[in-house]
């Protein structure tokens, strides 16, 4: 029996995780569920999975959830605050932590779980983008098992040699082929991109996801963050990672070897596959995902990415090459710009403009520890907010 903490249980990844867990009551028990403030869904999840703890961040949501659970006779204890997120991630009873909070807010509890040597199912890519060296060092030091849940990285993990030790070229790998759907705006011209709306950006052709990652997919910042994520997970340099636009999202990524072999992982675009893989690794369990209907798919297309229309992708490679605090600055500026876009405060094409200006304004510092990351993150947020204020004037 594995005891799980699901960070971000009410989100897209969180609910898919619980869907898989519910299929295997003999294998997994939920120790804690956490969310920002979604009382109703959290209440139902608590009744179904009977966790020891539920954590909410919003104080009024905490009071409501406590009342409702008490009325329902539930034994789940409701905790609040950021410290509680860490507490339920490092508790001795916990075997594995699903890191599925969106954005920089996921960093602290995910890092705490790594330091505590928990098995980590990593969906929160922002943790690696912001603090890749700090996080990977914590994983190495504690001996945590780190399973990538992002579908592309899960595919790469599956296609790399078993027990891959972080030595890409010595393992016979020539390069990593990171696939991208291209998002809802794949075929839009720069002119057409000027007036796209948040709802259009969130209407992803293949995947149903939270709003932040949906906008990231539309700008291809998601792929940029994933390039940086792949760098840290697999010790791959920027030049070792080729983005391949593949609109069908059937091949989730590939690994090319020096002998010319290319290994790919295919499947329906459903996050329950990588989640089930991470939960059961090295075994395989039923995930609820049906067979891939190759006859219906019929064809697979591949196109080179367009760095002009999708500036965010170019900026991500630039930040990865600059190293140090540049990726945390990129990530923070992106989070602020995406929130402003979702709030109808700035245009879609202002997202890369804001990020580029913030990257140009802030120095690239060495990352020696978490404090360096958090400082770069807050500086970048401050500068990004200022720029957005000026854009609105
Ligand atoms: P989502 O918006 O659907 O869910 C986010 C979850 O985090 C919710 O439970 C929410 O309550 C919680 N949360 C939000 N802000 C918080 C805060 N400040 N403090 C604590 N909790 C907070 O997001 P999602 O689509 O499930 O994505 C989650 C993570 O997984 C992201 O990092 C995303 O990049 C990554 N990811 C998602 C997918 C996908 O298919 N959705 C695929 C790959 C990777
Ligand atoms: Mg992905």
């Amino acid at each position: 029996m594995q005891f799980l903490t699901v960070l971000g249980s009410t989100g897209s990844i969180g609910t898919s995780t619980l869907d898989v867990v519910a299929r295997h009551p003999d294998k997994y028990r939920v120790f804690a569920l956490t969310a920002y403030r979604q009382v109703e869904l959290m209440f139902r999840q608590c009744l179904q999975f009977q966790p020891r703890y539920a954590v909410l961040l919003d104080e009024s949501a905490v009071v409501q959830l406590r009342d409702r659970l008490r009325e329902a006779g539930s034994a789940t204890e409701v905790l609040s605050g950021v410290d509680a997120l860490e507490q339920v991630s490092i508790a001795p009873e916990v075997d594995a932590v699903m890191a599925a909070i969106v954005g920089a807010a996921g960093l602290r509890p995910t890092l705490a779980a790594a330091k505590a040597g928990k098995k980590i199912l990593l969906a929160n890519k922002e943790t690696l983008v912001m603090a890749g060296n700090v996080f990977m060092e914590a994983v190495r030091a504690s001996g945590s098992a780190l399973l990538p849940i992002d579908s592309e990285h899960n595919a790469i993990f599956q296609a790399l040699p078993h027990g891959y030790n972080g030595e890409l070229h010595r393992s016979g790998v020539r390069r990593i082929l990171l696939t991208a759907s291209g998002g809802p705006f794949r075929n839009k011209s720069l002119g057409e991109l000027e007036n796209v709306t948040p709802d259009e950006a969130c209407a992803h052709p293949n995947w149903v996801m939270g709003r932040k990652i949906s906008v990231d997919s539309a700008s291809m910042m998601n792929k940029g963050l994933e390039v940086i994520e792949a760098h840290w997970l697999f010790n791959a340099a920027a030049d070792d990672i080729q983005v391949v636009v593949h609109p069908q999202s059937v091949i989730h990524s590939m690994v090319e070897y020096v002998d010319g072999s290319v290994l790919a992982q295919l499947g329906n675009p459903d996050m329950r596959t990588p989640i089930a893989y991470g939960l059961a690794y090295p075994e395989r369990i039923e995930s609820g995902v049906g067979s891939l209907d190759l006859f219906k798919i019929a064809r697979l297309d591949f196109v080179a990415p367009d760095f002009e229309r999708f500036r965010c992708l170019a900026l991500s490679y630039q930040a990865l090459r600059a190293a140090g605090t540049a990726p945390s600055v990129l990530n923070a500026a992106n989070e602020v710009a995406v929130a402003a876009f979702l709030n109808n405060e700035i245009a879609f094409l202002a997202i890369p403009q804001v990020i580029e200006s913030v990257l140009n304004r802030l120095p690239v510092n060495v990352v020696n520890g978490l404090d360096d990351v958090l400082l770069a993150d807050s500086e970048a947020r401050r500068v990004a907010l200022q720029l957005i204020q000026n854009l609105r004037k």
Side-chain angles (χ1 to χ4, degrees):
M1 187 65 76
Q2 274 188 55
F3 279 82
L4 293 180
T5 283
V6 182
L7 299 171
S9 68
T10 57
S12 162
I13 295 287
T15 49
S16 292
T17 302
L18 292 177
D19 181 285
V20 178
V21 165
R23 292 165 196 277
H24 304 279
D26 53 321
K27 290 191 165 69
Y28 309 104
R29 289 278 300 277
V30 176
F31 176 77
L33 297 174
T34 87
Y36 190 60
R37 60 171 172 212
Q38 294 84 344
V39 175
E40 183 55 40
L41 181 52
M42 182 58 104
F43 173 68
R44 282 185 272 126
Q45 290 182 340
C46 285
L47 292 192
Q48 186 180 353
F49 294 95
Q50 303 180 2
R52 174 100 169 266
Y53 297 107
V55 183
L56 290 177
L57 275 267
D58 181 274
E59 279 303 327
S60 73
V62 168
V63 175
Q64 287 175 48
L65 182 66
R66 239 177 229 147
D67 288 350
R68 298 212 37 202
L69 285 173
R70 195 179 307 126
E71 273 169 38
S74 161
T76 298
E77 196 176 321
V78 183
L79 307 176
S80 70
V82 180
D83 288 348
L85 292 178
E86 287 193 27
Q87 186 191 323
V88 299
S89 301
I90 64 175
E93 296 92 329
V94 175
D95 299 298
V97 174
M98 164 55 82
I101 290 175
V102 60
L107 173 59
R108 278 173 185 278
T110 309
L111 184 60
K115 285 185 177 157
K118 303 302 183 192
K119 169 173 158 180
I120 295 174
L121 310 185
L122 188 70
N124 177 257
K125 63 192 85 185
E126 293 90 347
T127 287
L128 277 177
V129 174
M130 291 175 73
N133 67 341
V134 178
F135 180 74
M136 292 306 288
E137 187 45 47
V139 165
R140 268 189 294 271
S142 71
S144 273
L146 177 59
L147 280 311
I149 299 303
D150 211 345
S151 57
E152 296 78 1
H153 306 76
N154 190 268
I156 296 162
F157 186 88
Q158 294 196 44
L160 280 169
H162 186 71
Y164 172 66
N165 63 359
E167 297 192 69
L168 200 72
H169 295 295
R170 279 205 208 148
S171 305
V173 174
R174 190 180 278 156
R175 58 183 181 158
I176 286 171
L177 300 166
L178 185 71
T179 55
S181 70
F185 303 151
R186 180 169 55 88
N187 292 322
K188 283 210 190 302
S189 66
L190 264 180
E192 289 169 322
L193 286 176
E194 265 170 31
N195 296 315
V196 292
T197 65
D199 283 344
E200 286 168 335
C202 289
H204 197 278
N206 307 334
W207 301 91
V208 182
M209 309 180 287
R211 282 173 79 79
K212 191 261 177 181
I213 184 176
S214 295
V215 176
D216 285 347
S217 298
S219 68
M220 287 196 74
M221 175 52 93
N222 183 50
K223 212 46 55 181
L225 299 177
E226 290 185 359
V227 168
I228 301 172
E229 183 183 13
H231 161 73
W232 289 113
L233 282 172
F234 309 119
N235 195 25
D239 290 335
D240 295 327
I241 307 164
Q242 169 72 53
V243 172
V244 179
V245 176
H246 162 49
Q248 290 89 357
S249 296
V250 166
I251 295 181
H252 298 310
S253 278
M254 298 170 260
V255 175
E256 181 184 323
Y257 288 87
V258 282
D259 61 3
S261 296
V262 177
L263 299 193
Q265 186 260 359
L266 289 73
N268 285 320
D270 188 322
M271 290 306 292
R272 290 177 301 175
T273 297
I275 290 167
Y277 182 87
L279 280 171
Y281 179 81
E283 289 167 25
R284 298 269 182 177
I285 55 169
E286 188 65 59
S287 66
V289 179
S291 293
L292 187 63
D293 188 341
L294 286 169
F295 301 122
K296 204 165 149 198
I297 293 158
R299 57 180 276 182
L300 301 175
D301 296 301
F302 306 98
V303 194
D306 181 341
F307 292 95
E308 294 296 316
R309 282 183 304 135
F310 298 101
R311 287 282 305 143
C312 288
L313 189 54
L315 293 170
S316 302
Y317 270 102
Q318 186 187 312
L320 174 57
R321 291 196 168 99
T325 48
S328 359
V329 168
L330 172 96
N331 178 68
N334 180 57
E335 281 190 26
V336 173
V338 169
F341 169 68
L342 283 171
N343 253 341
N344 291 305
E345 291 167 31
I346 60 170
F348 182 71
L349 289 178
I351 296 173
Q353 284 169 10
V354 168
I355 298 167
E356 183 159 24
S357 305
V358 177
L359 280 170
N360 287 338
R361 267 164 217 230
L362 291 178
V364 177
N365 294 324
V366 177
V367 173
N368 290 315
L370 189 60
D371 288 348
D372 301 320
V373 169
L374 297 177
L375 184 64
D377 176 89
S378 66
E379 278 291 283
R381 280 169 203 273
R382 188 178 57 75
V383 175
L385 280 171
Q386 249 172 23
L387 287 164
I388 288 166
Q389 288 271 325
N390 292 340
L391 280 175
R392 283 159 62 199
K393 276 178 196 153

